[in-house]
Amino acid sequence: MITKLITEKDGEKGLDEAARLLKDGELVAIPTETVYGLAANALDGNAVKNIFVAKGRPQDNPLIVHIAEIDEILPLVKNFDERARALAEAYWPGPLTMILPKSDIIPTEVCAGLDTVAIRMPSHPIAHEIIKKCGFPLAAPSANTSGKPSPTTAAHVMNDMDGKIAAVVDGGSSVGVESTVVTLACPVPRVLRPGGVTPDQLRAVLGEVEIDKAVFKALESGEKVLSPGMKYKHYSPNAHVIIVKGDFDKFASLVAEPRSERTCAVCFDGEEDKISVPAYPYGHADSPEEQARELFDVLRHVDDEKMELAFVRFPSLDGVGMAVYNRLLRAAGFEVIEL
């Protein structure tokens, strides 16, 4: 298969072509404001199956359905209650995914056999336009090989998906970490995956909001995956990733110890010149937003440089920092050193 790269110079015709391919049951990678998504017709179970094949994604890992307007959610769920509508009016379009009881038109392949469905409305204008042109919702997990760092550029997608999917739509660089996932299919709303909409922002609308234990801990054997990003090792380069909590001097001493592996440091801006091994900054220490934007690109760079061991500075947990830490935990397989 030849994967077509659709760029800005293709204009409206390029978006029309992307929509035509999706209508034909093909897979097309599209930009969103979080990361690039690997899209298929969410109402076509056979098309959705091909997402799992292209990514090498486990079949029990549910997908997120993307819509272009709030009312498009109504046929997809059994009950769009006051809580859900309030969240939609506050944070859609944007990096927020809601889990609700699904209607019968959602194929089993989308929800991995669960009785719920995850839905969001992306704010990226290209994603919005393609969904509108299709006339149906799109199932779209991140457009990367399963388990690898998520793609924030079209080049990242082509590196992983060239020859496996019909097309990639280049929409520039994305913000970084994926959407917040909150389930409303329970009495107290619960965050299953942190993202660009913070728990405090959710509480401003909903009142009480819980944080699922899987945000910071691995699921127990046999536990069901209720949301993308909960169970499996994700976002990980080929290198062995270790998160390091402690002050900078201790971090610099740790990474300087002689080792047989090709070792690097993923540090904060301004620290790279004070570290004796190759060092790649992923934002300032006091800017979770920068860290979210740079993290996946830096983790891919670790692989480009053929590093074997990457020590990563512990991020702030404020605001979007919780999402950054969650992604790092999964990239590191929950391996954290406290100095």
Side-chain angles (χ1 to χ4, degrees), residues 149 235-238 241 266 294-304 310 312 327-328 331:
Y235 323 114
S236 186
N238 294 324
V241 175
V266 176
E294 300 296 332
L295 176 63
F296 292 138
D297 190 57
V298 168
L299 291 179
R300 283 180 174 265
H301 188 61
V302 167
D303 275 351
D304 292 341
V312 184
R327 303 317 189 268
L328 277 173

Side-chain angles (χ1 to χ4, degrees), residues 11-20 22-23 68 72 126-136 138:
E12 196 75 13
K13 289 183 179 179
L15 302 188
D16 287 338
E17 182 174 6
R20 177 187 61 78
L22 288 161
K23 290 175 182 178
E72 291 174 13
I126 290 178
H128 181 273
E129 187 66 17
I130 290 174
I131 297 168
K132 293 299 288 184
K133 286 178 179 293
C134 286
F136 48 73
L138 297 178

Side-chain angles (χ1 to χ4, degrees), residues 35 47 63 109 118 141 153 158 185 197 224 229 246 248 270 284 308 314-315 337 339:
V35 300
L63 306 179
E109 291 84 358
T153 67
M158 290 297 285
V197 176
K224 280 189 176 181
F248 173 74
H284 287 87
E308 298 170 340
F314 194 96
I337 294 175
L339 301 178

